[in-house]
Amino acid sequence: MKLLLTILTVSVLAIVSRAQDSVTTFAGQALVTGATNGLGTNALFNDPAAIAVDAGGNFYVADSQNNVIRLITTNGTVTTFAGQFGIAGTKDATGTNALFNSPMGLAFDANSNLFVSDTGNNTIRKVTPAGSVSTFAGVAGSGGFGDGPSLSAQFNSPLGIAAAGNGTVFVADTGNHVIRAISGGSVSTFAGTPQVWGNIDATGTNAQFNGPVGLAFDTNGNLFVSDANNDIIRKITTNAVVTTFAGMAGSDGSADGNSGSARFRSPAQLAFDHRGNLFVADSFNQTIREITRDGNVSTVSGSPGVSGTNDGINGAGHFFNPYGIAVATDGSLVVSDTYNELMRVVLAPFKLTLQTSGASRATAISWFGVIGKTYQVQFADGGTNAWIDLGTPITATNLSLNITDNSPAPSGTRLYRVLRSF
């Protein structure tokens, strides 16, 4: 158990200090490229990119330079789901008989079909749950721009991809600086001015992007975009109104704070957690960032500007161009640490919420945890150094945890901390 969070209560007020992170490698070997399947660190990758999670909690990885889609089961076994190691091509077939060319983006739809941004082919591919691969949109080997029927439309280095609840597939058409929509067998431009880069907030094709990369939907159907070359995060409403959500265009950095003062450096993939917080693989900063629902940006893992391979807790973990990010079913984060050739699990910082009520001034303590991890709440009355367990350890069986302290200190001052297992 390691100390991860301490809070101070004074009367009914709470001053909360955030917990620190934990980074663990669960597949791959640091700085070793390869094309090996196996369990956990016996497997090898070659520039793993986007990640997608299926309904069963399995991970799918766009293993870009191996030209394949890898499957990592819940027990950490890595296999090849589709494509052939080291062979770039555009063959539609089933499983390892199919061919891809530098796949970089992944997204599931509501029917468990996996959509792939087949970046080197300038196409969008569809993989059924049974592994049948077909070309969904674009013309293989023909990079350019063109809306229209799906199989004659053109893309230019598509990267991020996301499927809306109604089945429309959205693509960050990076080389064309636009967001495309694929629906009903046709491709259209949803937002951005085709083949014109810029940072204009506007509606639809009056807006401008500069190398958009990651895409993620919130629960209200708004589409969030990591506008990588502008070093900002954009928001697109369902009626295509584009605004800057966090960061400042043309001003890179690693500053935390409110959305306007925060800074990013080439943000890549995005993922929302179950509470509506947005996580960003801030690739060139070598960090994982969090943007809360109210727009506050913080660094949750990694050291800005410092690359490395270390696992560790309390800020000791390091990354080397983290690109893909996904939220696992247990509430943890999964990161494709691209240049380290690793798949990492990140336990993000968590925050306690306190509520004091009643004549006894009982304090209800709640927080969001990671399923399977064990938490011990402790307290110490002001002026002492003795930490006392509050109840027994709690092993999370769901994402929301709570405990009540029915005997707060008579003085009204009490320290609380939570220890979390790793």
Side-chain angles (χ1 to χ4, degrees):
M1 305 279 279
K2 299 293 183 180
L3 175 62
L4 283 191
L5 187 145
T6 301
I7 66 173
L8 170 66
T9 65
V10 182
S11 185
V12 296
L13 301 177
I15 301 172
V16 181
S17 62
R18 294 181 64 85
Q20 295 300 307
D21 68 311
S22 166
V23 179
T24 305
T25 297
F26 80 99
Q29 298 177 26
L31 302 175
V32 178
T33 61
T36 303
N37 289 322
L39 180 64
T41 55
N42 292 315
L44 296 177
F45 299 86
N46 193 348
D47 289 2
I51 308 168
V53 184
D54 70 11
N58 303 296
F59 305 108
Y60 293 73
V61 181
D63 193 6
S64 64
Q65 295 309 296
N66 274 328
N67 302 303
V68 295
I69 310 302
R70 312 287 287 278
L71 166 63
I72 309 178
T73 62
T74 54
N75 69 357
T77 300
V78 181
T79 59
T80 302
F81 179 62
Q84 299 180 38
F85 281 132
I87 302 177
T90 186
K91 182 180 178 182
D92 287 343
T94 299
T96 55
N97 291 314
L99 295 176
F100 298 88
N101 186 355
S102 299
M104 292 287 288
L106 298 176
F108 279 103
D109 69 5
N111 296 314
S112 298
N113 296 301
L114 182 64
F115 290 87
V116 181
S117 289
D118 196 6
T119 306
N121 279 324
N122 296 302
T123 57
I124 306 303
R125 312 290 288 282
K126 176 182 176 180
V127 190
T128 68
S132 177
V133 180
S134 60
T135 300
F136 186 66
V139 180
S142 179
F145 175 81
D147 286 337
S150 296
L151 296 181
S152 60
Q154 290 182 312
F155 298 84
N156 187 357
S157 297
L159 291 177
I161 191 166
N166 65 2
T168 301
V169 175
F170 290 82
V171 179
D173 192 5
T174 307
N176 282 320
H177 307 292
V178 292
I179 309 302
R180 311 287 288 282
I182 310 171
S183 179
S186 182
V187 177
S188 60
T189 300
F190 179 62
T193 305
Q195 300 180 311
V196 176
W197 58 268
N199 56 46
I200 295 175
D201 286 341
T203 300
T205 55
N206 292 314
Q208 291 181 353
F209 298 86
N210 189 354
V213 174
L215 299 181
F217 280 103
D218 69 8
T219 55
N220 295 318
N222 299 302
L223 183 63
F224 288 74
V225 182
S226 59
D227 195 4
N229 291 343
N230 278 325
D231 300 302
I232 55 178
I233 308 300
R234 313 289 285 278
K235 175 184 176 180
I236 312 177
T237 65
T238 54
N239 57 354
V241 176
V242 180
T243 56
T244 298
F245 182 65
M248 178 179 289
S251 179
D252 68 352
S254 61
D256 290 335
N258 63 54
S259 58
S261 62
R263 297 291 181 266
F264 302 85
R265 184 172 288 124
S266 295
Q269 296 292 304
L270 306 173
F272 277 97
D273 72 4
H274 61 285
R275 292 167 288 158
N277 300 309
L278 179 62
F279 289 89
V280 182
D282 197 4
S283 61
F284 283 14
N285 272 326
Q286 320 298 342
T287 56
I288 305 302
R289 313 288 291 281
E290 178 185 10
I291 310 175
T292 61
R293 294 170 69 101
D294 59 2
N296 185 66
V297 180
S298 62
T299 300
V300 300
S301 194
S303 299
V306 179
S307 62
T309 64
N310 296 342
D311 288 345
I313 63 171
N314 299 343
H318 292 107
F319 303 91
F320 190 12
N321 192 35
Y323 185 91
I325 190 167
V327 178
T329 53
D330 67 2
S332 62
L333 300 176
V334 180
V335 176
S336 59
D337 193 6
T338 303
Y339 289 172
N340 274 330
E341 312 297 347
L342 298 175
M343 302 301 299
R344 320 287 290 275
V345 172
V346 176
L347 302 186
F350 61 97
K351 181 176 68 174
L352 298 188
T353 299
L354 305 180
Q355 184 174 2
T356 302
S357 62
S360 66
R361 306 184 70 77
T363 301
I365 306 159
S366 60
W367 68 100
F368 289 95
V370 174
I371 294 173
K373 301 302 178 182
T374 300
Y375 299 80
Q376 176 65 65
V377 181
Q378 296 183 329
F379 68 88
D381 291 331
T384 73
N385 295 317
W387 288 100
I388 301 171
D389 288 348
L390 178 61
T392 59
I394 301 170
T395 299
T397 57
N398 56 62
L399 300 174
S400 298
L401 302 170
N402 62 82
I403 191 171
T404 299
D405 182 1
N406 290 306
S407 57
S411 65
T413 301
R414 176 161 285 184
L415 290 165
Y416 293 93
R417 72 180 184 181
V418 174
L419 305 178
R420 178 175 64 191
S421 65
F422 295 108

